[in-house]
């Protein structure tokens, strides 16, 4: 009986240690964005970063963006940053961390419509050999 108890406790401790090691080794993506806003402040601090060489779910993040917009009291958009992009990575082997930050100033007037924050990435499938190039905004046709 005592031997069975020692074996079961040993197995349980090993399982707990292994699950902790697996969680500690979990890969954290370098592709993320943050939005910081303190109560009673009109400032929003946005940040996005990506690492083109990192493969996430079979894709590389070639570049990232953040975007803010706010409304008037009638629900109409009155200020929009549009997408604020990082630079493009040079290719799927580019291990640099590409970043972009922006401070957005909200209205000082109370408003039932909250300021909005969005972020995203330009994803490129891993192993395709295709990589987008940076085209000046003046040449993009929309």
């Amino acid at each position: 009986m005592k031997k069975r108890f020692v074996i079961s406790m040993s197995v349980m401790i090993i399982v707990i240690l292994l699950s902790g090691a697996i969680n500690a080794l979990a890969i954290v993506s370098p592709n993320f964005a943050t939005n910081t806003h303190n109560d009673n402040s009109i400032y929003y601090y946005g940040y996005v970063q990506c690492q083109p060489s990192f493969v996430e779910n079979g894709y590389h993040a070639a570049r990232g963006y953040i975007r803010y917009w706010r409304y008037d009291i009638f629900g109409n958009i009155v200020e929009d940053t549009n997408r604020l992009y990082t630079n493009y990575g040079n290719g799927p082997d580019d291990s640099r961390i590409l970043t972009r930050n922006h401070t957005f100033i909200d209205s000082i007037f109370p408003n039932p419509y909250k300021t909005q924050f969005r972020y995203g990435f330009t994803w490129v499938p891993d192993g395709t050999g295709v990589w987008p190039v940076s085209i000046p905004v003046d040449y993009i046709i929309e």
Side-chain angles (χ1 to χ4, degrees), residues 6 11 44 50 69 73 75 77 107 109 113-114 132:
V6 170
V11 168
Y44 288 83
C50 65
W69 69 91
I73 60 171
I77 295 175
S107 172
F109 300 108
Y113 300 100
K114 291 184 59 81

Side-chain angles (χ1 to χ4, degrees), residues 80-112:
D80 189 346
T81 63
N82 294 308
R83 292 180 176 186
L84 303 171
Y85 285 98
T86 66
N87 290 328
Y88 271 107
N90 294 329
D93 297 326
D94 188 350
S95 62
R96 295 177 300 153
I97 300 290
L98 307 173
T99 65
R100 178 74 187 251
N101 57 21
H102 183 74
T103 301
F104 185 77
I105 300 174
D106 201 1
S107 172
I108 60 172
F109 300 108
N111 191 336

Side-chain angles (χ1 to χ4, degrees), residues 31-44:
N31 305 321
F32 69 89
T34 61
N35 173 39
T36 307
H37 173 72
N38 297 325
D39 291 339
N40 300 321
S41 172
I42 60 171
Y43 298 102
Y44 288 83

Side-chain angles (χ1 to χ4, degrees), residues 19-20 26 28 42 45 55 63 85 95 99 101 106 126 131-132 137:
S19 67
V28 177
I42 60 171
Y45 304 99
V55 179
R63 68 178 177 168
Y85 285 98
S95 62
T99 65
N101 57 21
D106 201 1
D126 184 35
W131 196 261
V137 176

Side-chain angles (χ1 to χ4, degrees), residues 51-56 58-62 92-93 122-127 131:
Q51 184 177 31
S53 63
F54 185 80
V55 179
E56 186 170 327
Y59 292 87
H60 297 273
D93 297 326
T122 301
W123 296 103
V124 178
D126 184 35
W131 196 261

